């Protein structure tokens, strides 16, 4: 019988957890889109996962040169921006592009910021709940 390394199982649990946690904003976006025309987003499932992937790539592109410099220089401080801040910025851009183009201007900006902020707050709430659960055990 073969055994699976622990890091693989931890990664699998994290991926499944992220998929489950992300379903809630997708369902909420679909519900908002059906209820209110202004909040209609084309393919919300794909949009949120696209935002998450692009955010990860942007964060990695920011971190990679700093890590390379820090490995060669003593005393170099590495600053990697938090994931949720990157998610908010990338989410704002992607949501403003994915909203159905029935309106322009201030409404589109406010709705894009609101959707992005709601997703960030949801992920922050989920992260805090996980940390609280881990602290209990």
């Amino acid at each position: 019988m073969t055994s699976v390394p622990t890091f693989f199982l931890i990664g699998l649990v994290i991926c499944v957890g992220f998929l489950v946690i992300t379903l809630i904003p997708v369902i909420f976006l679909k519900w908002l889109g059906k209820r209110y025309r202004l909040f209609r987003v084309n393919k919300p499932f794909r949009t949120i996962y696209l935002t998450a992937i692009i955010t990860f790539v942007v964060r990695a592109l920011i971190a990679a040169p700093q890590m390379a410099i820090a490995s060669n220089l003593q005393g170099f401080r590495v600053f990697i921006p938090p994931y949720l801040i990157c998610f908010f910025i990338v989410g704002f851009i992607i949501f403003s592009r994915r909203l159905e183009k029935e309106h322009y201007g201030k409404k589109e900006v406010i709705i894009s910021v609101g959707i992005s902020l709601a997703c960030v707050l949801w992920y922050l709430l989920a992260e805090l709940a996980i940390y609280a659960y881990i602290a209990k055990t």
Side-chain angles (χ1 to χ4, degrees):
M1 182 172 190
T2 59
S3 63
V4 178
T6 307
F7 66 87
F8 179 77
L9 293 175
I10 291 171
L12 187 65
V13 167
I14 289 172
C15 286
V16 169
F18 182 74
L19 289 173
V20 170
I21 288 172
T22 304
L23 281 177
I24 302 298
V26 169
I27 292 169
F28 186 66
L29 273 178
K30 281 187 176 184
W31 178 76
L32 272 177
K34 287 180 183 176
R35 200 148 170 141
Y36 305 104
R37 271 179 80 192
L38 293 175
F39 290 95
R40 202 167 289 157
V41 176
N42 293 332
K43 300 177 184 174
F45 189 78
R46 184 182 294 173
T47 302
I48 288 183
Y49 281 111
L50 181 69
T51 304
I53 290 169
I54 290 174
T55 301
F56 178 75
V57 169
V58 165
R59 193 165 180 244
L61 288 174
I62 292 171
Q66 293 184 36
M67 297 302 281
I69 293 170
S71 67
N72 291 329
L73 295 176
Q74 294 292 337
F76 183 79
R77 295 178 77 34
V78 177
F79 174 72
I80 301 171
Y83 181 78
L84 292 178
I85 292 174
C86 291
F87 189 92
F88 177 73
I89 294 167
V90 172
F92 166 69
I93 295 168
I94 290 178
F95 286 129
S96 66
R97 300 296 300 160
R98 290 290 194 138
L99 283 173
E100 289 189 2
K101 300 296 180 183
E102 297 172 1
H103 50 278
Y104 296 99
K106 290 181 183 178
K107 285 183 182 179
E108 183 179 0
V109 170
I110 291 170
I111 291 170
S112 297
V113 166
I115 292 172
S116 185
L117 185 64
C119 289
V120 166
L121 290 177
W122 171 252
Y123 288 130
L124 183 64
L125 180 67
E127 184 178 348
L128 291 175
I130 290 170
Y131 284 149
Y133 178 75
I134 290 173
K136 273 188 174 180
T137 59

